[in-house]
Amino acid sequence: MQVNFGSARRVVVKKSEFAVRSVSSADDVPLFPADYEELLDQAKEASQAALKDGIQLMEIEFPTAGLGSVPGDGEGGIEMTGSMQLIREFCDLLVAPEKATRTRIFFPEANEVQFARKSAFGGASFKLDYLTKPSFFQDFGFVEAVKMVDRVKEEDELFIVGYPYFNVNEMLVVEELYRDAVAATTRQMIIFNGELDRIRSGYYPSFFYPKLAALSKTLFPKMETVYYIHNFKGRNGGTLFRCYPGPWKVLRRMGSRYVCVHQQEKMPTLKEVALDILPSA
């Protein structure tokens, strides 16, 4: 079973951004996006290339409070709602209409699925599902476990997991989903705005969150980051950017354009970009 994706009509909610056409040299393709419509087109092309290459686990990560924003600029609930709408637009671009019923989109909780059906995904043919189910003790951080392998269907070909970062258990469920329902199959999975840099950077101390911290060594090495934007503010500000299959690029905005000041094949850490690459550029 091989996923065959094509372009599809989009339900567009356009979001305007600064009109910056960004180049550093003639070989800088694609350009840094001028708005979210262009960003989604780039993310679609990158994802299609990765799907065609047979990559099973992919990551897409970019700011939703504005293309120049950094983590913390937006309010969590608003960012999640924005991500939901962007996931809908992305899916309409990526998934051919005849493949919609074979695409299962996971949201963090069951109530997110209900909200999605009444808003961004109203009338859509995609299969909507959830990672965790709220319990009576939700206020204390407890959620009801959901056995993921029992939730998927034989005809499912592509999983898209939306913003699994509000509760630390959500990424552990994502790991279970990949392990039990993707790894030994021909299915493929995209994690959409999962804020995985929190785990990469050690935001969750391994002493208190050993299973979550272990994902950096167990799950992440299997994952390809196909589209990525992370901004750095301050005197030595800039942007870490990647669009599969291209290299990782560190960009700096100069006037009306972006200039590539560094590039490499392997993803640098955010600390390396902030403390070494941008200050010396």
Side-chain angles (χ1 to χ4, degrees), residues 30 33 46 52 56 104 156 160 184 197 234 262:
K52 185 177 180 181
Q56 280 196 291
R104 188 170 296 271
D156 291 344
I160 296 178
D197 286 327
H262 176 86

PDB file of all heavy atoms in Angstrom, residues 30 33 46 52 56 104 156 160 184 197 234 262:
ATOM      1  N   PRO A  30      13.891  26.812  -1.942  1.00  0.00           N
ATOM      2  CA  PRO A  30      12.902  27.871  -2.131  1.00  0.00           C
ATOM      3  C   PRO A  30      13.256  29.130  -1.348  1.00  0.00           C
ATOM      4  O   PRO A  30      14.095  29.103  -0.473  1.00  0.00           O
ATOM      5  CB  PRO A  30      11.636  27.232  -1.573  1.00  0.00           C
ATOM      6  CG  PRO A  30      12.130  26.371  -0.459  1.00  0.00           C
ATOM      7  CD  PRO A  30      13.439  25.812  -0.959  1.00  0.00           C
ATOM      8  N   PRO A  33       9.357  32.143   2.892  1.00  0.00           N
ATOM      9  CA  PRO A  33       7.981  32.510   2.526  1.00  0.00           C
ATOM     10  C   PRO A  33       7.636  33.945   2.898  1.00  0.00           C
ATOM     11  O   PRO A  33       8.044  34.446   3.939  1.00  0.00           O
ATOM     12  CB  PRO A  33       7.128  31.506   3.310  1.00  0.00           C
ATOM     13  CG  PRO A  33       7.979  31.132   4.489  1.00  0.00           C
ATOM     14  CD  PRO A  33       9.381  31.113   3.959  1.00  0.00           C
ATOM     15  N   ALA A  46       7.637  20.104   0.173  1.00  0.00           N
ATOM     16  CA  ALA A  46       8.628  19.377   0.964  1.00  0.00           C
ATOM     17  C   ALA A  46       8.066  18.033   1.422  1.00  0.00           C
ATOM     18  O   ALA A  46       8.753  17.002   1.359  1.00  0.00           O
ATOM     19  CB  ALA A  46       9.045  20.212   2.177  1.00  0.00           C
ATOM     20  N   LYS A  52       7.369  10.732  -1.199  1.00  0.00           N
ATOM     21  CA  LYS A  52       7.832  10.012  -2.382  1.00  0.00           C
ATOM     22  C   LYS A  52       9.117   9.260  -2.099  1.00  0.00           C
ATOM     23  O   LYS A  52       9.346   8.165  -2.639  1.00  0.00           O
ATOM     24  CB  LYS A  52       8.029  10.989  -3.542  1.00  0.00           C
ATOM     25  CG  LYS A  52       8.394  10.324  -4.857  1.00  0.00           C
ATOM     26  CD  LYS A  52       8.501  11.350  -5.972  1.00  0.00           C
ATOM     27  CE  LYS A  52       8.863  10.682  -7.301  1.00  0.00           C
ATOM     28  NZ  LYS A  52       8.984  11.689  -8.404  1.00  0.00           N
ATOM     29  N   GLN A  56       9.040   7.637   6.605  1.00  0.00           N
ATOM     30  CA  GLN A  56       7.839   7.268   7.365  1.00  0.00           C
ATOM     31  C   GLN A  56       7.452   8.275   8.431  1.00  0.00           C
ATOM     32  O   GLN A  56       6.275   8.443   8.729  1.00  0.00           O
ATOM     33  CB  GLN A  56       8.036   5.897   8.011  1.00  0.00           C
ATOM     34  CG  GLN A  56       7.809   4.729   7.066  1.00  0.00           C
ATOM     35  CD  GLN A  56       7.622   3.432   7.822  1.00  0.00           C
ATOM     36  OE1 GLN A  56       8.548   2.929   8.424  1.00  0.00           O
ATOM     37  NE2 GLN A  56       6.419   2.892   7.791  1.00  0.00           N
ATOM     38  N   ARG A 104      -5.813   9.985   8.413  1.00  0.00           N
ATOM     39  CA  ARG A 104      -6.332  10.130   9.778  1.00  0.00           C
ATOM     40  C   ARG A 104      -5.560  11.242  10.478  1.00  0.00           C
ATOM     41  O   ARG A 104      -4.330  11.191  10.564  1.00  0.00           O
ATOM     42  CB  ARG A 104      -6.207   8.816  10.552  1.00  0.00           C
ATOM     43  CG  ARG A 104      -6.896   8.820  11.921  1.00  0.00           C
ATOM     44  CD  ARG A 104      -6.930   7.415  12.520  1.00  0.00           C
ATOM     45  NE  ARG A 104      -7.735   6.520  11.702  1.00  0.00           N
ATOM     46  CZ  ARG A 104      -9.051   6.340  11.845  1.00  0.00           C
ATOM     47  NH1 ARG A 104      -9.690   6.992  12.813  1.00  0.00           N
ATOM     48  NH2 ARG A 104      -9.718   5.517  11.068  1.00  0.00           N
ATOM     49  N   ASP A 156      -6.088   2.963   6.573  1.00  0.00           N
ATOM     50  CA  ASP A 156      -5.352   4.206   6.844  1.00  0.00           C
ATOM     51  C   ASP A 156      -3.980   4.172   6.170  1.00  0.00           C
ATOM     52  O   ASP A 156      -3.251   3.177   6.276  1.00  0.00           O
ATOM     53  CB  ASP A 156      -5.167   4.407   8.343  1.00  0.00           C
ATOM     54  CG  ASP A 156      -6.471   4.719   9.061  1.00  0.00           C
ATOM     55  OD1 ASP A 156      -7.454   5.070   8.380  1.00  0.00           O
ATOM     56  OD2 ASP A 156      -6.505   4.606  10.302  1.00  0.00           O
ATOM     57  N   ILE A 160      -1.579  12.381  10.338  1.00  0.00           N
ATOM     58  CA  ILE A 160      -1.083  13.726  10.624  1.00  0.00           C
ATOM     59  C   ILE A 160      -1.437  14.034  12.068  1.00  0.00           C
ATOM     60  O   ILE A 160      -2.613  13.955  12.463  1.00  0.00           O
ATOM     61  CB  ILE A 160      -1.687  14.765   9.668  1.00  0.00           C
ATOM     62  CG1 ILE A 160      -1.240  14.472   8.234  1.00  0.00           C
ATOM     63  CG2 ILE A 160      -1.272  16.187  10.086  1.00  0.00           C
ATOM     64  CD1 ILE A 160      -1.816  15.397   7.188  1.00  0.00           C
ATOM     65  N   ALA A 184       6.225  -0.775  11.259  1.00  0.00           N
ATOM     66  CA  ALA A 184       6.301  -2.054  10.553  1.00  0.00           C
ATOM     67  C   ALA A 184       5.297  -2.133   9.406  1.00  0.00           C
ATOM     68  O   ALA A 184       4.930  -3.230   8.965  1.00  0.00           O
ATOM     69  CB  ALA A 184       6.085  -3.203  11.528  1.00  0.00           C
ATOM     70  N   ASP A 197      11.226  21.029  19.820  1.00  0.00           N
ATOM     71  CA  ASP A 197      12.454  21.665  20.324  1.00  0.00           C
ATOM     72  C   ASP A 197      12.478  21.699  21.843  1.00  0.00           C
ATOM     73  O   ASP A 197      13.551  21.773  22.446  1.00  0.00           O
ATOM     74  CB  ASP A 197      12.591  23.085  19.767  1.00  0.00           C
ATOM     75  CG  ASP A 197      13.005  23.085  18.303  1.00  0.00           C
ATOM     76  OD1 ASP A 197      13.750  22.173  17.908  1.00  0.00           O
ATOM     77  OD2 ASP A 197      12.583  23.991  17.571  1.00  0.00           O
ATOM     78  N   GLY A 234      16.700  39.723  18.964  1.00  0.00           N
ATOM     79  CA  GLY A 234      17.829  40.364  19.608  1.00  0.00           C
ATOM     80  C   GLY A 234      18.851  40.889  18.618  1.00  0.00           C
ATOM     81  O   GLY A 234      18.651  40.876  17.399  1.00  0.00           O
ATOM     82  N   HIS A 262      24.772  30.919   6.736  1.00  0.00           N
ATOM     83  CA  HIS A 262      25.376  29.624   7.070  1.00  0.00           C
ATOM     84  C   HIS A 262      24.437  28.525   6.607  1.00  0.00           C
ATOM     85  O   HIS A 262      23.218  28.682   6.646  1.00  0.00           O
ATOM     86  CB  HIS A 262      25.580  29.510   8.587  1.00  0.00           C
ATOM     87  CG  HIS A 262      26.108  28.177   9.026  1.00  0.00           C
ATOM     88  ND1 HIS A 262      27.440  27.870   9.047  1.00  0.00           N
ATOM     89  CD2 HIS A 262      25.458  27.049   9.460  1.00  0.00           C
ATOM     90  CE1 HIS A 262      27.616  26.639   9.483  1.00  0.00           C
ATOM     91  NE2 HIS A 262      26.423  26.115   9.735  1.00  0.00           N
TER      92      HIS A 262
END
